[in-house]
Amino acid sequence: MERDKLLMTPGPTMIPPKVLQAMSRQIIHHRTKEFQAIFTEFNTKLKTVFDTKNDVLTFASSGTGAMEASVANLFSPGDKVLVGTIGVFGDRYVKIAKAYGLDVDVISMPWGQALDPEDIKKHLEEDVDNKIKAVIVTHNETSTGVTNDLEAIGQVLKGRPQLLVVDAISSLGGIPLKTDEWGIDVVVTGSQKALMVPPGLSFASLSDRAWDAVKQSKLPKFYFDFLAYREKLNDNDTPYTPAVTLIIGTNVALDMILDDGLDKVYARNRRLAEATRAAAKAMGLELFAEPTHASDIITSIKGPEGIDVEKVRKIMNTKYDIMITGGQGKLKGQILRIGHVGYVDQFDLLKTLTGLEYSLAEVGYPVQIGSGVTAAEKILKEGV
Amino acid sequence: MERDKLLMTPGPTMIPPKVLQAMSRQIIHHRTKEFQAIFTEFNTKLKTVFDTKNDVLTFASSGTGAMEASVANLFSPGDKVLVGTIGVFGDRYVKIAKAYGLDVDVISMPWGQALDPEDIKKHLEEDVDNKIKAVIVTHNETSTGVTNDLEAIGQVLKGRPQLLVVDAISSLGGIPLKTDEWGIDVVVTGSQKALMVPPGLSFASLSDRAWDAVKQSKLPKFYFDFLAYREKLNDNDTPYTPAVTLIIGTNVALDMILDDGLDKVYARNRRLAEATRAAAKAMGLELFAEPTHASDIITSIKGPEGIDVEKVRKIMNTKYDIMITGGQGKLKGQILRIGHVGYVDQFDLLKTLTGLEYSLAEVGYPVQIGSGVTAAEKILKEGV
């Protein structure tokens, strides 16, 4: 019988029925007391999830729009920035910065590894005149399943004039991210991952010194002009028609996250990740990410020698209605990636691991049926 | 008993239940055959509604995003453009062009009037070296309720090197717009008006010569980079995560529009507009827009001497759950605007006119109860 596909992807992630329901009501106009009451609540909850005292701006766009916005709003042509990249999404920030005519220094790690905060430190120390205006890093790189140590990178930046700009599109609301405490100046994220809402919203928070940079910026912008959004936010409004239904959905999803409690959400994702890693190992599979920085949002698994991982994915998808993802860019055909963030519980994960066992067996990989699931269950039964 | 507000606003407009239902399904991933099948249909139908053989690009953003995109993708710093403005949204194009460092000539009409194509002709003839690269106009100006004669403006541009760029955010799908036949090079629109979908999607179509301009453009862009969208469109894909649910909703809404037939939709809106204008006059009210160019999307009505129109709106909204809009910018407090586009039928309009009669009476305006409704009914009973 037809079933919804179980999305164990890094995004879009599954939408909770309560969120779908809230979004399926007849639309309300954004210039009404009813919407403004929702927008006020929504903005307050966003600050809690961002772990910041600063305003969070909301845009009708994909996450990439907010990445671009951070570049267009903070810098001027020729400004120097340092981008630390460990995969597809770090590379995207390099491309955006170059598209806007910035002078881009790049620290790039082999895929599967995290940034070494010492490398950033050294690079900044060599920049004796502080030509570098900002350090831009990805918090969680979904293309490789690696999480950077943002707290340590924040430590490196402490007391330095450079802004710290973070792509937290896949991480915010899924793993700890202490925006103010870790000294992060700009955090950008999107709706379709840990926030459990369809794609179409992006967000950005800015520190006071980031706002100072905005005032100096000479790059052209209009739709993503941060100052216009901040000004309207004071009136509980947006400069352009907001994506009303997605905001209403996010407002409900944020309640679900905060009712659970951020710490509980983080703990659940961590345990789901541990269970996934243990299951992979029990199935005789090798993990792709370096163990010290393996992501709690998404687990990357190397394709076993001689096994067509795209075929494995296809069987999971068509036969068992479970969608996981493969490799992006140069990792295409080489890895499998299982997302475990957002509206995902242990039974979703166990179903996924079962489907993985079946599908690996079907393509001739010598998996012991039940091995992965058993290993995961042992971890999951401790409860999350 | 609680009822959904009837939105007789220029946008967001009411969402048909079938569209809400389609959007309330569990989300599907955009990189699946299921979504790609929808996306293919959707793109074909969009071309029909745009009345063009060219590709239509879809962005996750408000309509303003597509306006900005047209500027960032077509021009280079210092390029000269001519913007014809007749209200708030024409002025917005001026601001965007200036934000991107263009050299902007402006033809501006008193609010309530349409552009005179002769003025554009004269301005272009005075530009003997063809320094002007493009003429940018609003098709339907919602702030004033005036529709420009786009066909005549297209005639002026015929055989000239300037591109014709049109903001059709409130008009496309609501009133006739023959993109290819009228020689319009770029048409931008949004989801939340005649297309009957929540805000969050914008669209742009480009002629071959507009694509030539895109290749010359040196302004920075990334998220709205037209070439990236066109390249991915060839693979039935988008460069960044699309707003999946809104695309699914639009796909259903486009079916509804095309099942009705564009001509029937246009005829209905025209008749609703005629009925609204007749009703206003029968109530002794004065229309704001010049009669020859009154919009069939939205009717603007002057506030009668001594009557607080904002209070009228408030009564309609709180007592009768009917939302119309007031004046924007310098027209605030001076006019009322009734939208009649999208998922609106004659009974929605008659309800609105009834509410308007009641509310005007309540603030002391000497309206003859039933006068507006009767005048409208006489026109509407001919059927649409």
Side-chain angles (χ1 to χ4, degrees), chain B residues 61-63 66 168-170 172 188-195 201-203:
Chain B
S61 86
S62 307
I169 292 175
S170 62
L172 191 125
V188 301
T189 195
S191 52
Q192 80 278 17
K193 299 185 186 262
L195 299 185
L201 287 185
S202 68
F203 309 91

Side-chain angles (χ1 to χ4, degrees), chain A residues 2 4-5 7 9-17 20-21 23-34 60-65 68 92 95-96 99-101 192-193 197-200 219-224 229 239-246 314 317 323 325 328 343, chain B residues 2 4-5 7 9-17 20-21 23-34 60-66 68 92 95-96 99-101 192-193 197-200 219-224 239-246 314 317 323 325 328 343:
Chain A
E2 193 184 324
D4 290 332
K5 288 240 188 277
L7 298 189
T9 52
T13 60
M14 301 298 280
I15 315 299
L20 288 171
Q21 216 168 9
M23 292 190 304
S24 70
R25 262 200 55 193
Q26 183 51 268
I27 197 155
I28 58 174
H29 199 280
H30 53 292
R31 298 236 159 81
T32 55
K33 278 186 189 153
E34 190 183 357
S61 85
S62 308
T64 302
E68 165 163 347
R92 183 171 292 178
K95 284 179 198 161
I96 295 173
Y100 273 81
Q192 79 279 18
K193 301 186 185 257
V197 177
L219 280 169
K221 58 242 162 201
F222 190 87
Y223 180 66
F224 289 118
Y229 282 81
Y240 316 113
T241 311
V244 172
T245 48
L246 296 175
K314 199 175 173 181
N317 191 352
M323 194 170 169
T325 41
Q328 282 181 288
Y343 192 60
Chain B
E2 194 185 324
D4 291 331
K5 286 239 188 281
L7 299 189
T9 53
T13 60
M14 301 296 280
I15 315 298
L20 288 171
Q21 216 169 11
M23 293 191 303
S24 71
R25 262 200 55 193
Q26 182 52 265
I27 196 156
I28 58 174
H29 199 279
H30 52 292
R31 298 238 158 82
T32 54
K33 278 185 190 156
E34 190 183 356
S61 86
S62 307
T64 303
E68 165 163 348
R92 182 171 292 175
K95 284 180 197 159
I96 295 173
Y100 273 81
Q192 80 278 17
K193 299 185 186 262
V197 177
L219 280 169
K221 59 242 162 201
F222 190 88
Y223 179 65
F224 288 119
Y240 316 113
T241 311
V244 172
T245 48
L246 296 175
K314 200 175 172 179
N317 191 353
M323 194 170 169
T325 41
Q328 281 181 288
Y343 192 60

Side-chain angles (χ1 to χ4, degrees), chain A residues 69-148:
Chain A
S70 69
V71 169
N73 278 274
L74 293 169
F75 307 114
S76 297
D79 274 359
K80 199 180 178 83
V81 296
L82 171 61
V83 181
T85 175
I86 62 169
V88 169
F89 293 94
D91 289 354
R92 183 171 292 178
Y93 243 131
V94 173
K95 284 179 198 161
I96 295 173
K98 286 184 176 169
Y100 273 81
L102 302 192
D103 179 5
V104 188
D105 281 2
V106 179
I107 294 179
S108 154
M109 295 298 288
W111 286 19
Q113 292 181 33
L115 291 168
D116 182 347
E118 283 303 310
D119 289 345
I120 296 175
K121 191 175 176 186
K122 212 183 302 166
H123 198 103
L124 292 178
E125 280 168 357
E126 282 166 12
D127 174 42
V128 284
D129 305 330
N130 286 319
K131 286 241 165 76
I132 294 171
K133 304 270 187 213
V135 175
I136 303 175
V137 297
T138 316
H139 186 194
N140 180 75
E141 177 61 59
T142 49
S143 67
T144 60
V146 172
T147 302
N148 280 314

